[in-house]
Amino acid sequence: MNRNTLCTIYIVRHAETEWNAIGRIQGQMESSLTEKGLGQARQTAEKLRDITFDAVFSSDLLRTKRTAEIVKLDRELEVVTKEVLRERTYGRGDGKMIEEWRKETRHLLEQYQKLSEKKKWRFKFDEGYESDEELISRFITFLRETAIAYPNKTILIVTHGGVIMTFLAHIGFAKLSELKAAGFKNAGYLKIQSDGVDFFLKEIEGYQKNNK
């Protein structure tokens, strides 16, 4: 590992939205930030105020782009939006209340819980649902391409909770089931470094392991 070629990447989850607040599945649908969410984004902006970013990327969904605009503060950097950074789609579950979706898929959730960790990565709750394997494939590809394109630079990426938790499971931070049970706070973030192949977790702010 050549430390001089490592890319430093801050991966931020978007701040709280109206649908987060009421327990509605967003997936790839749109929902605006709440007042609380705007405050969360400003708090994260303050935490990262002294970081010199060389580029800013976000999912093309409005909640992430708005969070990115706040977190980057007055840095004169364009927020480059990428569809590949979107949250997973839940297929027909997008837009449904979480409790309603859980009731409808209870038999599938029970089936999912019995699977090995490996099989859980490929599991789909319906035809339109994006599996963890599909989600991490597109995200990891983007991270590796970014690390190679920006050696010895610092990058800000604003994405979604499902993306971040799946990434943490991928790098071995915790099991996928543990991460999904715990969650990741709105406007929380990771600091990682990458040489374009491997990923090294340096800091985590927002993992709710003891606060389910």
Side-chain angles (χ1 to χ4, degrees):
M1 180 180 69
N2 185 346
R3 295 188 179 277
N4 293 325
T5 63
L6 289 177
C7 177
T8 299
I9 305 174
Y10 286 81
I11 305 173
V12 178
R13 184 190 178 194
H14 65 80
E16 184 191 72
T17 67
E18 293 173 356
W19 284 13
N20 286 150
I22 63 171
R24 188 181 295 278
I25 295 171
Q26 293 174 113
Q28 296 188 359
M29 298 181 76
E30 297 285 16
S31 177
S32 301
L33 297 186
T34 61
E35 284 300 316
K36 179 181 177 181
L38 292 170
Q40 290 171 337
R42 294 185 190 108
Q43 288 175 355
T44 298
E46 283 301 313
K47 290 176 183 177
L48 304 181
R49 174 179 283 279
D50 296 330
I51 307 299
T52 301
F53 292 116
D54 296 288
V56 180
F57 297 97
S58 93
S59 152
D60 62 345
L61 298 175
L62 294 178
R63 59 190 181 273
T64 42
K65 186 176 181 183
R66 180 71 179 113
T67 301
E69 290 286 357
I70 295 170
V71 172
K72 80 179 184 71
L73 289 174
D74 53 1
R75 299 176 181 90
E76 295 196 4
L77 293 169
E78 177 189 3
V79 176
V80 179
T81 58
K82 298 286 185 179
E83 185 175 342
V84 74
L85 296 176
R86 283 185 179 188
E87 180 62 282
R88 90 166 74 245
T89 175
Y90 283 72
R92 289 173 292 180
D94 283 4
K96 288 189 175 182
M97 297 300 291
I98 294 172
E99 287 306 314
E100 177 189 1
W101 182 79
R102 283 177 177 165
K103 287 178 183 177
E104 291 179 359
T105 61
R106 182 178 295 139
H107 63 295
L108 294 172
L109 286 166
E110 290 173 356
Q111 181 182 334
Y112 173 83
Q113 294 299 334
K114 295 175 183 177
L115 296 175
S116 66
E117 285 293 312
K118 185 175 181 180
K119 288 184 177 179
K120 284 178 180 177
W121 281 86
R122 299 174 182 170
F123 191 82
K124 288 176 174 283
F125 286 87
D126 69 48
E127 289 182 6
Y129 184 93
E130 187 176 22
S131 70
D132 292 300
E133 186 174 72
E134 291 170 329
L135 174 62
I136 200 61
S137 177
R138 61 174 164 88
F139 186 60
I140 288 293
T141 298
F142 180 80
L143 288 182
R144 287 188 170 133
E145 289 173 350
T146 301
I148 291 169
Y150 294 91
N152 203 29
K153 302 291 185 182
T154 302
I155 308 301
L156 172 65
I157 293 175
V158 183
T159 183
H160 303 263
V163 175
I164 291 173
M165 288 189 289
T166 308
F167 173 73
L168 284 170
H170 174 78
I171 63 173
F173 177 78
K175 289 183 178 180
L176 198 56
S177 54
E178 294 172 348
L179 287 156
K180 288 183 177 181
F184 198 84
K185 291 182 181 179
N186 290 107
Y189 66 89
L190 313 177
K191 176 185 176 182
I192 67 168
Q193 290 184 321
S194 178
D195 56 5
V197 178
D198 296 314
F199 301 99
F200 311 97
L201 180 62
K202 297 297 181 179
E203 184 180 349
I204 181 166
E205 175 75 36
Y207 178 50
Q208 304 179 108
K209 185 173 183 180
N210 297 315
N211 185 23
K212 297 180 183 180

